Each structure stands twice: as structure tokens, then as C-alpha cells.
Amino acid sequence: MRSELVVCWKEAADSTMIPGSTLILRRADKGWRSIRLTVIGVIGGSGLYDLADLEDRSEHWIATPFGTPSSPVVMGAIGGTRLAFLARHGRGHHLNPSEVPYRANIFALKSLGVEHVLSVSAVGSLKEDLPPRMAVIPDQIIDQTRQRLRTFFEEGVVAHVGMADPFCDTMRNTIHDQMTAVTDQVAKGGTYLCIEGPQFSTRAESNLYRSWGASIIGMTAMPEARLAREAGLCYATLAMVTDYDVWHETEDDVTVETVLRVLHMNVEVAKDVVRRLARQGLPECTSGCRQALDNAVITSDASLSDSARSRLALFR
């Protein structure tokens, strides 16, 4: 089974139609509510700013309680499956990793009914056997970010969701199956080390992360994975290796020029995988992602303000 499209009600007095995708009804006395159709979400990272294959395209700026998303969400279809595409860094790549409105992005996708999110990211390799152009489907993250808003649950509501396994295993397995049909340069498993950026690592940092056993290094998996878990979404990263960071003794240190040189080839592989996932669809999650909030909210319902209740109704 595939994921489903949610029709949502936001606090307001009017109602509007999203052509070709969903109906957004706004009622002043209601929180976010849902009706279901089919959709898969794709968050495009560096180099992936659009999905040209989408049919019946329509673009929508989604208002959220957490601000404006990085870009309009492009709705469309491939092989009969609905997709919702969002450019993480905005069109023209004008948002650095610390400026990305991660909460607004995840909320916008959730409000459009997305239940599976494929995140495509450019990364550096911290291992000899993960050369440039390799695709990695990580199963763990080390979060070294320092200044990003990382939860939906604040200002009157507290929740503690489990993050032991930050990626959806069901989705990872499906992505791996589709990747092996496209390329033999794919590695399943490994730890994504997420730094704040926007600067690349020092050589000492790069070697420290290698000593921790990290496999790849990037700047965007956190807090994206945390927020996807809080939102009950199946989330997986397709990490496309562009360089060896700065630890390698015989390879050049990472630069923007190095990244861009490899990025185009990597992006084409990522697009192939998205097409295959859309045509085949995604299986029902067996990893418990949708139940992440079960018993996680510690604040009693009686203590919730009307504002907090409305803001978070979409997740509960």
C-alpha cells in the first residue's frame, strides 16, 4: 500500500481548492483534520530543485503555524502515484542549512497527506569504501547541529518521541531494492554525521568523526529526521556522495567546485529512483513510524491551551 493524501482544515474563515491535489478547508472553530488520498513526499537537497517528470503539476505555498516552507510544494503524479516535492534550500538555493525552515517543511508535507518522505541529500564520505557517486541509505545519525529548532512540541505542550532508529526500516529496504535496479554503487546502512555548517569540517573534525565510526557527513538530516518522527512520517535519506570531505590523504579536500562536479550525475540517479518508487509504490510501514506519538505526549489534555491544541491537532 502507498501513503495517503490528507485534506486539512486550518484556523480561518474561508475555504480554497488546491487544483489537482487536495481541498484545503479553513474553519475558525476547528483544528487540522484529515481525509485520505494517495501521495509520496520528496525533499530535494543540493542540485535537486525540481522533478520535471511530474504530470498534472500544480504549485502551492502552504501556510503553517511554524512559518513559510522553503519553497512552494509542487504536486503532481508519476505512474499514477501522487507526489509532493519540496526544494529544501529553496529555488536558486538561497537558504543555508541553518536557515532551512525544517518545521514548516515537514508540517506542510504532513498537511498535504504525505506519510512517506524521501530526503535526497549531497554528502561527503568518511570511509574509503564509499567513493564519490556512491549512494548511501543510512540507518543512523549523529547530530552535531547546535542552533536549530528541533521539535513541534513546545510552548505549552511536551512530547518525548523515540529516536533509537531515526530512519524507517521499511522504507529503507524499499529504496535499496529500487537503487540496486539503477546502479551497483549503493551501500545500505551507515551513520550520517550531521554538522551545523555552512562551513565544511576542519581536518581534525573530519578525523574525529571517522574515529566515531561515522560513514558520511552532511548538514541537513537533522532536525529533519527528528521532526518527521514527531509527525509520524516514514522518513528515509538517499545520501549521494560527492567527495571525501577533508580526511583523505590522496584525494582533494572538499570544495563547492568538487561537489558540483559530481552532483549532476548523482541527481540523475536520484531522479531514477524517485520514478521507480512512484511507479511501484511503497509498502505499508511495519516500523511503527505512525505510532511514534503514542504515549509520547506527557502534557495532559486539560493543560493544553487552545492555541497548542489547534497547532498540533494534525499530529494527534
Side-chain angles (χ1 to χ4, degrees):
M1 293 180 64
R2 299 175 213 153
S3 56
E4 302 166 314
L5 182 62
V6 173
V7 181
C8 53
W9 285 260
K10 187 189 172 187
E11 290 183 301
D14 61 316
S15 63
T16 57
M17 176 72 78
I18 289 184
S21 58
T22 186
L23 174 67
I24 301 295
L25 294 180
R26 296 182 169 91
R27 295 180 179 174
D29 60 338
K30 301 291 184 182
W32 294 82
R33 303 300 167 91
S34 63
I35 300 172
R36 300 180 179 275
L37 300 170
T38 300
V39 69
I40 296 172
V42 179
I43 299 177
S46 298
L48 182 56
Y49 307 113
D50 191 21
L51 289 178
D53 290 350
L54 287 178
E55 301 172 352
D56 301 321
R57 295 166 61 99
S58 56
E59 295 187 1
H60 315 283
W61 282 106
I62 307 298
T64 86
F66 302 96
T68 303
S70 299
S71 73
V73 179
V74 180
M75 301 293 297
I78 295 177
T81 296
R82 301 291 298 172
L83 287 94
F85 177 84
L86 190 150
R88 180 187 289 117
H89 297 283
R91 290 176 176 169
H93 203 122
H94 62 91
L95 297 170
N96 76 35
S98 302
E99 295 174 324
V100 172
Y102 295 97
R103 296 194 300 179
N105 289 351
I106 294 297
F107 192 97
L109 293 177
K110 175 77 172 179
S111 71
L112 290 172
V114 170
E115 292 183 353
H116 294 84
V117 175
L118 172 63
S119 165
V120 180
S121 300
V123 298
S125 170
L126 296 172
K127 291 185 177 292
E128 187 77 49
D129 60 354
L130 298 176
R133 297 195 62 187
M134 179 71 76
V136 182
I137 307 168
D139 59 353
Q140 283 296 325
I141 308 178
I142 297 174
D143 188 358
Q144 289 288 288
T145 63
R146 298 185 176 94
Q147 59 186 54
R148 304 181 186 182
L149 298 171
R150 50 196 270 168
T151 182
F152 293 112
F153 296 90
E154 60 182 12
E155 297 180 357
V157 59
V158 178
H160 302 285
V161 300
M163 287 295 298
D165 298 300
F167 299 107
C168 174
D169 278 341
T170 308
M171 192 170 176
R172 288 179 58 253
N173 291 335
T174 304
I175 293 170
H176 181 257
D177 290 345
Q178 298 305 323
M179 277 297 303
T180 55
V182 173
T183 177
D184 59 358
Q185 291 185 293
V186 55
K188 183 181 178 186
T191 297
Y192 182 126
L193 191 292
C194 189
I195 62 174
E196 184 69 44
Q199 301 86 2
F200 296 119
S201 301
T202 68
R203 211 173 309 281
E205 288 170 334
S206 191
N207 281 299
L208 175 64
Y209 302 149
R210 277 171 46 80
S211 75
W212 291 353
S215 305
I216 52 178
I217 182 168
M219 302 180 187
T220 56
M222 286 295 192
E224 203 168 79
R226 295 185 186 278
L227 296 166
R229 178 59 51 83
E230 286 190 341
L233 301 178
C234 297
Y235 176 88
T237 290
L238 181 57
M240 311 301 292
V241 176
T242 60
D243 57 83
Y244 277 112
D245 201 40
V246 296
W247 61 270
H248 206 288
E249 294 182 356
T250 59
E251 297 287 339
D252 292 338
D253 292 344
V254 59
T255 63
V256 171
E257 181 183 9
T258 304
V259 171
L260 293 177
R261 191 164 55 237
V262 182
L263 204 52
H264 176 71
M265 294 177 285
N266 282 357
V267 165
E268 291 309 308
V269 172
K271 289 180 178 179
D272 282 345
V273 173
V274 171
R275 284 191 285 266
R276 294 183 66 88
L277 287 173
R279 292 186 179 117
Q280 167 135 352
L282 289 166
E284 189 70 24
C285 176
T286 59
S287 303
C289 302
R290 296 182 192 176
Q291 292 76 46
L293 276 180
D294 290 359
N295 304 312
V297 178
I298 198 168
T299 307
S300 68
D301 277 349
S303 299
L304 290 176
S305 67
D306 290 342
S307 174
R309 196 184 306 277
S310 175
R311 187 173 71 246
L312 300 172
L314 182 65
F315 303 140
R316 305 184 70 195

